[in-house]
């Protein structure tokens, strides 16, 4: 059984606790919120003194009702126009009446390593830069901007980064990581990634590899080869783990900040592509073959079909795509085995001989 983690508290959880202690429940933003996890990013700004919280008395005018845009620990963050009366306001550029300065943000660093940047194709480099930008946003949604860095950046990569992130690169570049604890996320690592190895002094590294042609399978082992290499998996399998950097980092951040297992974090972030890739292999592995009047029929037990649908939120779209990969299949009820009158072995595959097949034995057909 997978052990659940002792999680890190996010900035918004720390700030929401302080707001509750100060007697505020419905602060309203007096400016237009940006994208991402609004509450977490505002919480960071409050602690760093970029924003401040005030009551109507300090502002000197009535606060208009707003609508909820986020919530944490029963603290509703309001913005825009709405029906909820705020009890305070968050203002840009002023420190405010609540002191957040003693709140310490202690989180691991998350890095994208660019050791292989020069080996990527032009379209892969472009995709990598886009993923880095999204990944930076993911880290800000769970931790802080300071918790995202790059490692092993060549001169060529630095120039491309400077062009992409105009007018300046918004995060740090570590030439030589000083952290004593470094963990590289590697799909072929010998052990699963676990919260038990993570502290605020840990550097978690994701390989900046965008490989459209599977040219660099296994290359991650060359990134900081003398440190721990850990894999992200779903119940021991790497098949369902997304290969996009931002998706991997989201899984890590969610696992480290929520009371869920690593497998559950993976399950909640499975992409459509990963689902299809996994389903094709699962269908091939679990096909049951029947022979009826000389014709071979491929089937999947109803129990297994329902399990996959529920566990991975699969729809007819996924099963239709999977069916094309294997030449079609049908979902059968367990009663079908009552109509089996024998079996044979053909090309090392077991084939059940059916005397008949009725509609009540068939749940669904995918061709």
């Amino acid at each position: 059984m997978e052990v659940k983690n002792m999680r890190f508290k996010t900035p918004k959880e720390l700030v929401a606790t302080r707001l509750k202690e100060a007697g505020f429940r419905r602060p309203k933003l007096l400016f237009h919120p940006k994208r991402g996890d609004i509450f977490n990013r505002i919480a960071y700004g409050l602690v760093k003194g970029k924003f401040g919280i005030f009551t109507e008395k300090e502002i000197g005018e009535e606060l208009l009702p707003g609508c909820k845009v986020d919530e944490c620990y029963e603290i509703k963050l309001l913005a825009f126009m709405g029906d909820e009366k705020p009890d305070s306001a968050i203002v840009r550029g002023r420190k405010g009446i609540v002191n957040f300065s003693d709140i310490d943000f202690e989180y691991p660093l998350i890095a994208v390593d660019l050791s292989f940047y020069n080996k990527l194709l032009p379209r892969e480099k472009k995709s990598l830069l886009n993923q880095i930008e999204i990944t930076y946003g993911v880290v800000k949604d769970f931790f802080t901007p300071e918790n995202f860095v790059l490692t092993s950046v060549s001169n060529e990569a630095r120039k491309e980064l400077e062009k992409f992130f105009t007018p300046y690169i918004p995060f740090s570049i570590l030439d030589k990581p000083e952290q004593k604890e470094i963990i590289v996320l590697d799909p072929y690592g010998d052990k699963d990634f676990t919260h038990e190895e993570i502290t605020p002094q840990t550097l978690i590294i994701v390989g900046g590899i965008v490989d459209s042609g599977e040219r660099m399978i296994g290359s991650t082992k060359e990134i900081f080869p003398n440190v721990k290499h850990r894999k992200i998996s779903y119940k021991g399998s790497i098949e369902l783990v997304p290969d996009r950097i931002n998706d991997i980092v989201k899984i890590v951040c969610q696992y480290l900040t929520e009371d869920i297992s690593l497998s559950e974090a993976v399950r909640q972030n499975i992409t459509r592509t990963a689902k299809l890739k996994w389903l094709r292999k699962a269908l091939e592995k679990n096909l049951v073959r029947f022979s009826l009047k000389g014709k071979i029929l491929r089937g999947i037990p109803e129990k297994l079909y329902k399990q996959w649908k529920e566990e991975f939120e699969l729809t007819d779209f996924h099963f239709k795509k999977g069916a094309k990969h294997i030449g079609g299949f049908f979902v059968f009820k367990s009663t079908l085995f009552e109509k089996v009158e024998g079996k044979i072995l053909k090309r090392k595959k077991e084939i059940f001989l059916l005397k008949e097949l009725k509609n009540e034995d068939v749940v669904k057909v995918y061709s």
Side-chain angles (χ1 to χ4, degrees):
M1 180 180 293
E2 192 169 7
V3 180
K4 290 188 177 181
N5 63 328
M6 295 296 292
R7 63 192 184 93
F8 289 90
K9 284 195 173 183
T10 60
K12 68 180 178 183
E13 290 175 314
L14 297 172
V15 165
T17 300
R18 182 62 53 84
L19 287 172
K20 189 177 290 188
E21 291 170 353
F24 297 116
R25 295 291 187 278
R26 296 179 306 281
K28 182 184 178 182
L29 300 176
L30 295 190
F31 51 88
H32 197 286
K34 295 182 179 180
R35 295 180 296 174
D37 190 307
I38 300 170
F39 207 147
N40 209 64
R41 299 189 184 195
I42 293 298
Y44 170 77
L46 284 168
V47 173
K48 294 298 180 178
K50 296 180 179 180
F51 308 129
I53 189 161
F54 299 87
T55 63
E56 288 183 341
K57 180 180 178 181
E58 285 80 31
I59 293 176
E61 60 182 67
E62 181 184 3
L63 297 175
L64 298 176
C67 64
K68 186 181 78 171
V69 293
D70 207 344
E71 184 173 358
C72 181
Y73 288 176
E74 301 177 357
I75 305 297
K76 295 181 179 180
L77 185 64
L78 309 180
F80 311 114
M81 300 298 293
D83 301 322
E84 296 215 42
K85 175 66 177 175
D87 57 16
S88 54
I90 296 175
V91 180
R92 193 191 301 274
R94 297 166 63 186
K95 288 188 177 181
I97 61 173
V98 179
N99 182 20
F100 300 97
S101 62
D102 62 321
I103 292 178
D104 292 325
F105 291 141
E106 296 185 306
Y107 306 117
L109 283 181
I110 295 180
V112 175
D113 184 87
L114 301 190
S115 298
F116 295 94
Y117 186 84
N118 296 353
K119 295 183 179 180
L120 301 180
L121 302 175
R123 68 176 182 276
E124 295 171 340
K125 291 178 180 177
K126 183 178 179 180
S127 176
L128 175 58
L129 292 172
N130 285 321
Q131 289 183 46
I132 288 173
E133 182 179 36
I134 298 170
T135 303
Y136 178 48
V138 170
V139 176
K140 289 194 289 184
D141 285 342
F142 287 91
F143 300 136
T144 79
E146 286 90 359
N147 293 102
F148 179 76
V149 299
L150 297 181
T151 56
S152 308
V153 180
S154 65
N155 290 332
E156 178 190 346
R158 188 183 289 267
K159 289 178 183 177
E160 293 300 319
L161 286 163
E162 289 171 349
K163 289 180 183 178
F164 188 86
F165 292 99
T166 303
Y168 62 91
I169 300 172
F171 37 77
S172 299
I173 295 175
L174 301 184
D175 293 324
K176 292 183 179 180
E178 297 178 355
Q179 283 75 7
K180 293 181 180 179
E181 286 294 328
I182 300 177
I183 292 178
V184 176
L185 298 180
D186 183 346
Y188 301 101
D190 55 347
K191 293 182 181 178
D192 266 355
F193 178 80
T194 173
H195 66 88
E196 294 172 343
E197 294 185 305
I198 307 302
T199 73
Q201 289 73 48
T202 305
L203 174 64
I204 302 169
I205 296 179
V206 184
I209 300 172
V210 177
D211 186 2
S212 57
E214 296 190 344
R215 307 182 314 279
M216 296 189 285
I217 290 178
S219 296
T220 312
K221 66 182 179 182
E222 299 175 31
I223 298 175
F224 294 92
N226 298 321
V227 305
K228 296 176 182 176
H229 280 229
R230 299 291 183 256
K231 63 182 177 181
I232 304 294
S233 73
Y234 180 81
K235 298 180 180 179
S237 171
I238 64 172
E239 297 295 335
L240 280 162
V241 180
D243 57 5
R244 286 182 63 87
I245 297 163
N246 51 285
D247 291 324
I248 294 170
V249 169
K250 185 179 178 184
I251 289 169
V252 169
C253 291
Q254 195 171 340
Y255 169 60
L256 293 177
T257 59
E258 297 182 15
D259 190 20
I260 58 175
S261 66
L262 180 62
S263 289
E264 178 58 20
V266 173
R267 192 192 69 81
Q268 291 184 20
N269 291 281
I270 299 172
T271 62
R272 185 173 75 171
T273 300
K275 285 181 181 180
L276 289 172
K277 183 178 179 181
W278 174 86
L279 182 59
R280 292 188 189 106
K281 291 187 177 182
L283 286 170
E284 289 177 353
K285 182 179 178 181
N286 293 279
L287 277 177
V288 180
R289 293 167 175 80
F290 299 92
S291 176
L292 179 65
K293 298 179 181 179
K295 184 179 180 180
I296 300 297
L297 307 175
R298 301 175 183 86
I300 292 293
E302 181 185 24
K303 183 178 179 181
L304 194 57
Y305 170 74
K306 287 183 175 180
Q307 177 188 321
W308 290 347
K309 285 188 70 173
E310 181 179 351
E311 187 172 2
F312 304 120
E313 299 178 353
L314 300 180
T315 64
D316 276 349
F317 165 82
H318 300 100
F319 287 109
K320 287 176 181 177
K321 287 286 187 179
K324 289 181 179 179
H325 180 71
I326 61 171
F329 71 96
F330 72 104
V331 181
F332 63 87
K333 293 184 178 180
S334 58
T335 53
L336 184 59
F337 282 105
E338 297 173 4
K339 299 176 175 62
V340 171
E341 53 185 4
K343 62 181 179 180
I344 59 174
L345 199 64
K346 190 174 182 180
R347 295 177 183 174
K348 297 182 180 181
K349 298 186 185 299
E350 193 175 52
I351 301 174
F352 294 95
L353 306 175
L354 287 177
K355 58 182 177 182
E356 62 179 350
L357 178 64
K358 294 187 176 181
N359 289 337
E360 58 261 32
D361 299 314
V362 179
V363 178
K364 198 106 178 181
V365 177
Y366 293 98
S367 56

